[in-house]
Amino acid sequence: GNSVTQMEGPVTLSEEAFLTINCTYTATGYPSLFWYVQYPGEGLQLLLKATKADDKGSNKGFEATYRKETTSFHLEKGSVQVSDSAVYFCALSDDNAGNMLTFGGGTRLMVKP
Amino acid sequence: DAGITQSPRHKVTETGTPVTLRCHQTENHRYMYWYRQDPGHGLRLIHYSYGVKDTDKGEVSDGYSVSRSKTEDFLLTLESATSSQTSVYFCAIRGLGGSGNTIYFGEGSWLTVV
């Protein structure tokens, strides 16, 4: 079956630091990959996505590249802000299964001023 | 904004009582989903629907039932709530057109079973 593994948190950074949150996956087919962000007390918001190998998703300064050879979709940002503090979820969607999402366990990011 | 409204947003209930959560959408989405979120587990699929009266089980469906009598509403029912069902419940829809492989989430319903 499909699975997603992401680094455990919390990740604590100072403002303007470089961010990497690792995500690897296993899938039987050719999934689409997603990063969602959840701010305290809120639902999940789509941050970025990539639908095929070598695609790069980007949004709000965050980037992630779909690496089929390493089955990875690591999230990066060059300079984090306090407002980026949230929980980040990596997920995959399998077209063969009704596009249901399989999630990683989430990584909490805390950015200090 | 995917036009998803969940109700109630917060509820405290007693063990053994029935509970129904409602998800309402306004954009004629065919696919709707119910997930639960628990620490360390990310989000796990409970049930989903692919049309009116068409539903199927997800990964953690035991103790839950769903109904979809019209396109815009997808109901999740806990027939007899247990403490293990204390969680945050998210409704989601599958995007339309070019966003058809993207899932969008509601704001969540916090349920506490005491």
Side-chain angles (χ1 to χ4, degrees):
Chain A
N2 298 336
S3 67
V4 176
T5 303
Q6 58 182 109
M7 60 190 295
E8 293 187 14
V11 174
T12 303
L13 296 173
S14 297
E15 205 164 23
E16 299 184 1
F18 185 85
L19 169 70
T20 300
I21 300 178
N22 291 334
C23 171
T24 57
Y25 68 90
T26 58
T28 54
Y30 299 94
S32 296
L33 301 174
F34 304 84
W35 277 101
Y36 285 85
V37 58
Q38 183 179 34
Y39 299 101
E42 299 184 9
L44 278 71
Q45 301 175 24
L46 178 66
L47 181 59
L48 53 84
K49 69 178 184 181
T51 58
K52 61 183 186 295
D54 299 326
D55 270 2
K56 177 185 283 188
S58 61
N59 187 24
K60 299 181 181 179
F62 291 89
E63 294 182 341
T65 301
Y66 189 151
R67 301 288 188 195
K68 186 179 178 183
E69 64 275 13
T70 55
T71 61
S72 65
F73 192 55
H74 304 322
L75 182 68
E76 297 181 336
K77 187 175 185 183
S79 176
V80 295
Q81 305 300 312
V82 172
S83 58
D84 293 326
S85 297
V87 180
Y88 292 82
F89 291 93
C90 185
L92 70 82
S93 169
D94 183 348
D95 288 345
N96 293 327
N99 275 11
M100 288 175 286
L101 285 170
T102 300
F103 282 89
T107 302
R108 181 175 299 277
L109 170 66
M110 300 172 59
V111 180
K112 297 183 176 180
Chain B
D1 184 359
I4 305 171
T5 303
Q6 291 185 228
S7 60
R9 295 290 316 281
H10 297 87
K11 185 175 182 65
V12 179
T13 192
E14 293 186 350
T15 299
T17 61
V19 176
T20 295
L21 306 180
R22 179 183 184 235
C23 179
H24 179 77
Q25 54 112 343
T26 59
E27 299 179 358
N28 205 33
H29 296 278
R30 178 183 174 193
Y31 285 85
M32 299 182 74
Y33 308 84
W34 277 107
Y35 286 86
R36 60 177 287 173
Q37 182 181 21
D38 303 289
H41 291 278
L43 276 78
R44 293 177 292 175
L45 181 67
I46 305 171
H47 281 279
Y48 68 100
S49 170
Y50 46 96
V52 173
K53 298 186 179 179
D54 291 323
T55 65
D56 207 346
K57 296 179 180 180
E59 177 187 359
V60 290
S61 59
D62 288 349
Y64 302 94
S65 62
V66 290
S67 66
R68 190 162 179 207
S69 59
K70 46 186 178 178
T71 299
E72 57 266 34
D73 288 327
F74 190 33
L75 304 181
L76 176 71
T77 297
L78 292 64
E79 301 291 347
S80 178
T82 67
S83 58
S84 64
Q85 294 175 311
T86 293
S87 187
V88 184
Y89 292 86
F90 288 98
C91 177
I93 56 91
R94 178 178 171 181
L96 299 172
S99 298
N101 69 341
T102 301
I103 308 298
Y104 299 93
F105 288 84
E107 294 189 344
S109 294
W110 274 252
L111 177 66
T112 302
V113 184
V114 298

